[in-house]
Amino acid sequence: VGNPKWFAEKIEIKKGSTVVVLDDDIVVHEMWNDKFKGYEEELALKSFTQGIEAMTYINSVQDKSRVFLITDYKFKEQRINGIEVIEKTNMYGRHVLVTSQHLSDMKNFNEKTRTVGKMHINDVPLILI
């Protein structure tokens, strides 16, 4: 039995992309900052704690193929979740949903939603293409 289809075995990002990290937890931002250390010449990193701000930014970018979204699933005191951010920015194929939820509880994940557990951020390989 392999991983579910929505489980991200690796994170592939095009060189020259802007990586948008959306999470309401500063510790998670620090984990992603550590993961992207050494990639500053190939990738730009933008951090957001508010889903609406991240959506506004992504939707303002003319060439969305140059954006990669890493988003939390649940945000405290926000009326939006990570899946809605992916949908409203049309970031299918260019995102990873990161969650601390028990993954088996996630009924609305589908093959379009690639997911990583927060506890596995350091384990998932980062590949630039």
Side-chain angles (χ1 to χ4, degrees), residues 24-70:
D24 56 3
D25 185 342
I26 298 306
V27 173
V28 174
H29 281 279
E30 290 170 3
M31 291 170 73
W32 285 113
N33 287 341
D34 287 346
K35 186 151 190 94
F36 285 106
K37 268 197 177 73
Y39 292 98
E40 293 85 359
E41 289 186 22
E42 291 101 345
L43 300 170
L45 202 56
K46 284 196 133 332
S47 297
F48 294 91
T49 56
Q50 298 292 314
I52 300 298
E53 288 177 15
M55 283 190 332
T56 300
Y57 170 75
I58 292 168
N59 285 329
S60 75
V61 174
Q62 287 200 305
D63 183 3
K64 282 192 193 177
S65 72
R66 291 276 177 215
V67 176
F68 189 91
L69 172 63
I70 297 173

